[in-house]
Amino acid sequence: ILLVIGGNPSINWYDVFKGQLLNGEEEIQVEMAHWDEISLTSYSDSGAVVSLHPSARPIQGTSMTAHRTIKPDFLLVRSACRGVIGQDWRTVLYGLMFSNIPSLNSLHSLYLCQEKPIVYARLNEIRRRHRHRQNQHASGGGGGGGGDSGDNGGGQQQQLAEDDFYFPLIDQTYYATWREMTFSTGFPLVAKIGTAHAGFGKMKLKDAGEFEDFRSVCALQNQYVTAEPFIDWDYDFRIQKIGSHYRAFRRYSTHWKGKGMTQHDEDIEVSPKLKYWIDSASQALGMDICAMDGVHSKVDGKEYIIELNDSAIGLVSRHQEEDLIHIRDLVMTRMALSYPPPPSSSSSSSSSTSSKQSISEVVTENSAAATTSSSPPPSTIAAQAPARGSSVPATATERSGGGDNASSDVARLQAQLDEVQHRLNLLQVQHRALQQETAAHQATEKKDKANKKGGIFSSKNK
């Protein structure tokens, strides 16, 4: 089961992944939900039980209109779990991390991106390494000395070529609270409160008076503040990375934040320099999907890297269809790495065969009774395929040539017992989820009755 969280509500991920098979065998089941539609409980022994509430913005003809309870095998996260007006679903993120569910981007990477100063610190480490190398070359210490002159010269040339791709991260100052904001590093500057998105929570300050006014506003917020020089830019740029596919855009706007109805963009070539910047940043934060934003100064003609965005990036409409395919293929690749096909099993008398059967089929084949056992009722939690990586019971055809091989019989029985135990574990998880839903429903009914009773008494008193 693939759970897609958030993103553009008009994108139908059910259609994007339709017909996709994991390892060429198992069809992908897709579910979609936004952060505010998710509740979960995670168990150390059986993983996360995720409840998806009916969506307020469902895609018609899909399961988004119903309540669902699932155990996701993989996550594709397409929106930030913190909103700009107080929304905060990090507790859901922590529950998914508790169960170590594979994800794109990785849950650890998403965790790091919850606070922008942490992202900046990783980017600043890249800049520090470049400055250290440049200082070594300037002092003549980059050659290493000794050895073959041809090899040494080639090594220096390669190192210098890498240093040509400097990492122009903008300078920044961090204030833990408003009390530390007693000085600035120059004006004009851009000050930002906490971690926000889409231009929220930041202001351009021209002088010390405006800085002091902004400081007084920050005193009402329990947040850190960051400040960086304001760059008078003529265009900004974005470098987009989806796995091994890259795009670059140049964007123009009359608003200093790069927003507004006047904004337009154009495709530009992904130069080796731009590719090097985003590869360095994505590696530092473990990102498969990301976008780097920066500006080009019309004063000094230099480029400045402003920030790095995670897998919640928006897609440019003219490339959206193609980029969705890139994301889909990347998810399938990561899922295949997380859930490789089980090793092929072989019998002593026949060629090696791999087969997946439901537990009902195994019971039917081994039953001495004439009646056939019915398959267990379909459930989103209890998937019909055996657990990935578990032993696969041999088919009737494979057993026919086995004769009286006692060890083969024992192995087959053990595989069947393991499969039964796996099914029991899933049923226990389902039972826990039903108990939670029942308790929540009863509490809601009790509250509704109390409210109605209180309304009657209130009217009588009046």
Side-chain angles (χ1 to χ4, degrees):
I1 298 177
L2 168 66
L3 175 58
V4 182
I5 301 178
N8 187 337
S10 66
I11 296 178
N12 190 334
W13 290 100
Y14 298 92
D15 286 346
V16 173
F17 283 92
K18 186 176 182 179
Q20 296 298 305
L21 300 177
L22 179 61
N23 300 317
E25 299 178 359
E26 190 173 356
E27 188 170 359
I28 300 298
Q29 177 183 338
V30 177
E31 292 293 348
M32 290 175 58
H34 295 271
W35 286 106
D36 59 348
E37 300 162 359
I38 299 174
S39 59
L40 66 80
T41 303
S42 291
Y43 303 96
S44 59
D45 58 344
S46 52
V49 179
V50 180
S51 294
L52 307 178
H53 305 289
S55 176
R57 341 176 251 289
I59 296 176
Q60 296 302 317
T62 69
S63 59
M64 295 179 71
T65 58
H67 185 280
R68 297 145 287 163
T69 302
I70 64 171
K71 282 180 62 64
D73 299 299
F74 200 90
L75 307 171
L76 171 59
V77 181
R78 292 291 295 135
S79 67
C81 70
R82 297 179 67 184
V84 296
I85 51 175
Q87 303 98 325
D88 191 343
W89 300 286
R90 281 179 291 179
T91 54
V92 177
L93 174 64
Y94 301 155
L96 298 171
M97 296 180 70
F98 183 90
S99 296
N100 294 315
I101 302 176
S103 175
L104 193 69
N105 289 332
S106 72
L107 294 179
H108 178 69
S109 175
L110 293 169
Y111 172 76
L112 293 177
C113 292
Q114 296 312 301
E115 301 291 350
K116 287 193 174 182
I118 297 177
V119 178
Y120 182 89
R122 294 294 179 96
L123 299 180
N124 199 29
E125 183 59 32
I126 302 173
R127 182 174 68 167
R128 286 173 180 166
R129 289 199 301 266
H130 278 274
R131 287 180 173 176
H132 178 68
R133 290 170 186 162
Q134 290 170 354
N135 291 337
Q136 283 186 321
H137 293 147
S139 62
D148 183 80
S149 60
D151 291 342
N152 187 42
Q156 284 186 354
Q157 184 176 2
Q158 181 179 2
Q159 187 67 63
L160 287 170
E162 180 180 339
D163 284 335
D164 285 342
F165 300 151
Y166 63 102
F167 198 78
L169 181 66
I170 195 167
D171 290 329
Q172 197 172 92
T173 303
Y174 175 92
Y175 303 99
T177 68
W178 67 275
R179 293 181 178 86
E180 286 77 24
M181 297 173 63
T182 56
F183 66 93
S184 68
T185 56
F187 297 99
L189 59 80
V190 176
K192 305 176 183 179
I193 301 177
T195 293
H197 310 280
F200 285 86
K202 65 180 180 181
M203 291 183 62
K204 180 173 69 172
L205 307 177
K206 299 177 182 178
D207 52 42
E210 291 186 354
F211 185 81
E212 184 61 28
D213 288 342
F214 181 76
R215 177 175 180 264
S216 68
V217 174
C218 294
L220 303 178
Q221 305 292 321
N222 186 26
Q223 288 281 5
Y224 54 82
V225 177
T226 57
E228 60 196 39
F230 170 74
I231 306 299
D232 189 11
W233 53 273
D234 48 7
Y235 65 83
D236 70 346
F237 61 87
R238 165 164 283 201
I239 317 166
Q240 174 184 292
K241 173 180 168 68
I242 301 175
S244 59
H245 185 268
Y246 301 83
R247 295 190 192 278
F249 309 97
R250 184 174 292 174
R251 305 182 296 193
Y252 303 89
S253 174
T254 57
H255 196 285
W256 70 270
K257 291 184 180 180
K259 299 175 60 179
M261 298 299 293
T262 59
Q263 183 181 14
H264 65 280
D265 62 80
E266 62 185 15
D267 297 346
I268 60 174
E269 178 187 1
V270 182
S271 65
K273 176 181 67 177
L274 299 181
K275 185 175 182 295
Y276 177 74
W277 288 351
I278 196 165
D279 280 343
S280 300
S282 63
Q283 183 178 0
L285 284 139
M287 294 179 172
D288 288 300
I289 302 175
C290 59
M292 175 180 285
D293 292 334
V295 296
H296 177 268
S297 172
K298 61 184 179 182
V299 177
D300 58 19
K302 295 181 179 180
E303 295 165 310
Y304 296 88
I305 295 172
I306 302 297
E307 64 181 4
L308 184 69
N309 304 283
D310 62 13
S311 59
I313 59 172
L315 303 176
V316 175
S317 58
R318 63 180 175 275
H319 299 303
Q320 177 173 286
E321 186 174 350
E322 182 182 350
D323 286 345
L324 290 177
I325 300 302
H326 291 310
I327 294 176
R328 182 200 68 188
D329 294 344
L330 182 58
V331 169
M332 296 303 299
T333 300
R334 293 291 183 265
M335 287 189 73
L337 291 174
S338 300
Y339 301 105
S344 300
S345 59
S346 60
S347 62
S348 57
S349 60
S350 61
S351 61
S352 174
T353 318
S354 177
S355 173
K356 288 189 175 182
Q357 293 179 305
S358 68
I359 187 61
S360 61
E361 294 172 334
V362 175
V363 172
T364 302
E365 288 182 3
N366 291 277
S367 175
T371 58
T372 59
S373 62
S374 60
S375 298
S379 170
T380 314
I381 295 180
Q384 296 301 313
R388 297 185 180 89
S390 62
S391 301
V392 179
T395 64
T397 303
E398 290 171 334
R399 289 198 297 271
S400 62
D404 298 326
N405 192 325
S407 61
S408 297
D409 291 341
V410 171
R412 286 196 299 272
L413 290 173
Q414 183 61 50
Q416 295 168 20
L417 288 174
D418 291 343
E419 183 64 20
V420 170
Q421 184 61 50
H422 172 67
R423 293 287 175 180
L424 288 175
N425 289 340
L426 289 176
L427 288 174
Q428 288 174 353
V429 171
Q430 187 179 24
H431 179 63
R432 289 176 183 173
L434 290 174
Q435 284 181 323
Q436 291 177 353
E437 292 178 14
T438 301
H441 181 68
Q442 290 174 344
T444 302
E445 285 186 340
K446 186 176 180 180
K447 183 177 180 181
D448 290 341
K449 289 180 180 179
N451 290 337
K452 290 180 180 179
K453 188 176 180 180
I456 293 172
F457 287 148
S458 297
S459 62
K460 286 183 178 182
N461 290 336
K462 289 181 180 179

